[in-house]
Amino acid sequence: MPSYNHISVAVPVLAEKENLPQLLTRLRQQTISQFTLYVCVNNEEGGYGYDDNQQCLQLLRQVGDMPLVVIDRSSHGLGWSGKRKGVGWARKLLFERIMEEHDDNELVVSLDADTDFDPGYLEAVLCNMNAYPASSAFSVPYYHPLCGDESLDRPMLRYECYMRHYLINMLRIRNPYAFTALGSAMVFPLWAYRRVGGITPLQGGEDFYLMQKFAKTGSVVLHFADEAYRHLAVRPQGRASARVPFGTGPAVAGGLDIMAERYPFYSPAGFDAVKTTFDTFPSLYDTDRETPMSAFLRQQLGTVDLWQPLRRNYRTRQHFIHACAERVDGLRILQYLKNNPDYRMPEETLPVCFGDDPLPSLNAYRNRLFAEEMELRRKNSPSAIQ
């Protein structure tokens, strides 16, 4: 079993002069010192964020009290050009640089510059991954603080509650793709990152696809095993942003008007249909049979023969079941739910009205979901080695 004793903290930076000082302060406050900070300051050549990024670079050059590696993809002649641009490429460069400088037992903590965290965070992560040494990744709990601007807090709470409701149901059915993927809340060892072939450098969603790779090739930890750290969660800002095509930033920027259509709450019946499909995988090794997802999968995959090719390629039941789960992955599950209007819960059936109820009531609902999610995370994580 691997043993971890050092962390590489990877942070992409785009126009973060307001947030970078706090990030550095939080790292200086950590209860352990065995970490190196890697920062990729990036923008398109001559594009948005250049002046702000130059101030970020100047601040980083003044850091002398912690190990720091700066990748400059902002200055003239170094900015992104063509299709290679955005946060996905920034994360890829960071992870590749870390791979060049460390062995397989290095832990990578992925953060964003606007994310707050406790002084014991890195120590907790190190202890936790040593408690789960065979696991491929850790999907860290998260919690968006309120900013005090109701026009932003309302859509942020609506979006976060959507994400938590989705994860709670995925955890309830014990699906292997039950995780929330946030670039500010991912931890993984380099051996697992190398095994999955690295990150796909998309302009958005790169964190989801990376975590999905980890889920397909191993187990994903969902909570802190040590009771002393159970309260910890990273705290990314729930700010409006158009830097990526989807996620918290665009959702908050779009406001409540877009929520019901783009981010609907799905009924438990939809997730139960997913569970029934996964429960059918062992018997599909012997013979074809219909599952709740079969018609959708035939249309989505463009084939009428969903399972026989997998039987030919995977000669044991165990390998066949794994191949079925790889085919019906987290993306397919989301697409299945989105394409079935019967699984969309009308907004008026939700316990709160995000447009009209007082903000404290919305926050209290978020907190109830958070508590339920944390308990299910604990129950669904793999067994720790104590």
Side-chain angles (χ1 to χ4, degrees):
M1 290 289 183
S3 177
Y4 307 114
N5 54 36
H6 192 268
I7 290 172
S8 291
V9 179
V11 183
V13 165
L14 170 58
E16 297 285 6
K17 68 177 182 181
E18 300 298 328
N19 293 312
L20 195 53
Q22 176 175 283
L23 175 73
L24 294 172
T25 296
R26 288 291 181 263
L27 290 171
R28 292 183 176 109
Q29 293 171 341
Q30 291 302 296
T31 54
I32 62 171
S33 59
Q34 55 265 42
F35 67 87
T36 300
L37 172 61
Y38 290 78
V39 179
C40 180
V41 183
N42 69 105
N43 54 255
E44 290 189 56
E45 186 66 30
Y48 166 77
Y50 173 80
D51 291 336
D52 188 302
N53 278 347
Q54 291 306 299
Q55 295 181 57
C56 291
L57 287 168
Q58 184 176 0
L59 174 61
L60 291 167
R61 293 187 188 106
Q62 297 170 359
V63 174
D65 55 350
M66 71 178 75
L68 171 63
V69 176
V70 178
I71 302 173
D72 181 2
R73 294 306 302 263
S74 171
S75 298
H76 287 307
L78 299 175
W80 305 120
S81 60
K83 295 182 179 180
R84 296 190 173 193
K85 60 184 178 181
V87 67
W89 277 100
R91 293 198 200 281
K92 179 177 176 65
L93 289 182
L94 286 163
F95 299 158
E96 288 181 347
R97 182 66 174 270
I98 293 168
M99 279 199 300
E100 291 173 2
E101 299 185 355
H102 297 278
D103 64 22
D104 278 357
N105 289 341
E106 181 74 357
L107 275 184
V108 179
V109 171
S110 178
L111 283 173
D112 287 332
D114 70 345
T115 303
D116 195 14
F117 46 94
D118 289 359
Y121 177 57
L122 294 185
E123 182 177 5
V125 165
L126 196 62
C127 292
N128 210 52
M129 292 305 287
N130 277 314
Y132 296 101
S135 292
S136 297
F138 180 16
S139 175
V140 181
Y142 70 96
Y143 188 93
H144 292 104
L146 298 177
C147 71
D149 183 339
E150 192 165 331
S151 68
L152 299 177
D153 284 337
R154 281 185 180 274
M156 182 278 290
L157 287 169
R158 171 62 175 74
Y159 183 71
E160 184 176 319
C161 289
Y162 152 78
M163 290 198 298
R164 294 198 187 283
H165 186 269
Y166 190 96
L167 179 57
I168 284 168
N169 277 281
M170 290 288 279
L171 291 168
R172 176 179 62 81
I173 66 173
R174 302 190 71 83
N175 191 271
Y177 300 105
F179 57 80
T180 298
L182 295 178
S184 56
M186 299 189 302
V187 177
F188 52 86
L190 279 184
W191 63 261
Y193 183 77
R194 287 192 172 100
R195 184 171 70 180
V196 301
I199 193 170
T200 303
L202 304 171
Q203 293 187 43
E206 78 289 338
D207 41 15
F208 169 80
Y209 289 105
L210 179 59
M211 290 299 292
Q212 181 164 266
K213 287 181 180 181
F214 290 138
K216 288 182 176 183
T217 57
S219 61
V220 175
V221 179
L222 300 170
H223 83 128
F224 289 101
D226 193 318
E227 188 70 37
Y229 302 130
R230 294 266 172 95
H231 66 287
L232 291 183
V234 295
R235 299 180 293 276
Q237 291 181 18
R239 58 184 175 176
S241 172
R243 302 180 186 193
V244 292
F246 47 85
T248 305
V252 173
L256 289 175
D257 291 342
I258 69 168
M259 291 290 179
E261 177 59 30
R262 295 189 188 178
Y263 309 107
F265 285 70
Y266 299 108
S267 69
F271 295 93
D272 291 341
V274 173
K275 182 179 188 304
T276 299
T277 299
F278 273 68
D279 289 346
T280 309
F281 289 162
S283 62
L284 286 172
Y285 182 69
D286 300 312
T287 185
D288 280 354
R289 62 182 63 204
E290 285 295 291
T291 76
M293 296 181 69
S294 291
F296 163 79
L297 291 171
R298 283 193 287 267
Q299 180 180 28
Q300 195 74 16
L301 299 173
T303 180
V304 296
D305 192 356
L306 293 172
W307 315 115
Q308 184 57 30
L310 297 183
R311 295 189 194 102
R312 288 196 296 266
N313 292 330
Y314 300 94
R315 297 304 180 91
T316 70
R317 191 181 304 272
Q318 181 180 358
H319 289 151
F320 171 82
I321 293 170
H322 184 80
C324 290
E326 283 196 324
R327 168 167 279 195
V328 189
D329 59 19
L331 178 62
R332 295 280 181 242
I333 292 169
L334 177 59
Q335 291 170 334
Y336 170 69
L337 295 171
K338 286 180 75 73
N339 280 274
N340 192 325
D342 292 340
Y343 293 150
R344 295 190 173 208
M345 296 173 60
E347 292 288 299
E348 57 269 20
T349 66
L350 299 177
V352 293
C353 176
F354 286 93
D356 296 329
D357 284 357
L359 205 63
S361 298
L362 304 183
N363 196 38
Y365 177 55
R366 184 263 295 265
N367 290 338
R368 290 198 299 273
L369 292 178
F370 177 68
E372 183 178 357
E373 177 189 314
M374 292 291 277
E375 178 62 20
L376 287 170
R377 279 175 177 260
R378 183 187 65 80
K379 292 179 178 178
N380 280 261
S381 274
S383 298
I385 298 176
Q386 302 291 356

